[in-house]
Amino acid sequence: MRYLAILDCPVIFSGENTYSMTSIDMCPSVGIAGGLISRHIKVVDARVLLVSIWTDEAASKAYFDADWYERAQVLWGDDYQLRLEAIDEANVA
């Protein structure tokens, strides 16, 4: 069953944190993140909105692991939301 991840976070630049990472660096990339089928990113009002579709829950949770959450806390504090849920493909058609 495919899996959906939706991330809403502020735009952060590399010089603003100890990891020297940007908000986009925290987003999965097709061809690099195993099991990622597609990703769609939009920046609106200084916030990044990411929608990504994964082959399954395990692939999604392998990317959004404890290390990812640790970096997210350093970059965004409590000013982000990550929603992970299964896609009910029977209801999509």
Side-chain angles (χ1 to χ4, degrees), residues 8 14 34 41 44 51 57 65 67 76 78 86 92:
D8 175 5
S14 60
I41 298 175
V44 177
V51 175
E57 180 178 6
D65 61 5
D67 289 337
W76 307 308
D78 293 332
V92 173

Side-chain angles (χ1 to χ4, degrees), residues 14-71:
S14 60
E16 298 177 19
N17 60 84
T18 58
Y19 286 111
S20 295
M21 295 180 74
T22 68
S23 293
I24 298 299
D25 294 334
M26 293 291 287
C27 298
S29 297
V30 174
I32 296 173
L36 180 63
I37 296 171
S38 69
R39 80 170 191 175
H40 310 277
I41 298 175
K42 186 173 187 175
V43 177
V44 177
D45 296 330
R47 294 196 67 83
V48 173
L49 301 171
L50 162 77
V51 175
S52 55
I53 300 173
W54 300 81
T55 54
D56 55 30
E57 180 178 6
S60 176
K61 291 194 175 183
Y63 184 83
F64 296 107
D65 61 5
D67 289 337
W68 187 92
Y69 282 98
E70 182 179 317
R71 291 188 308 270

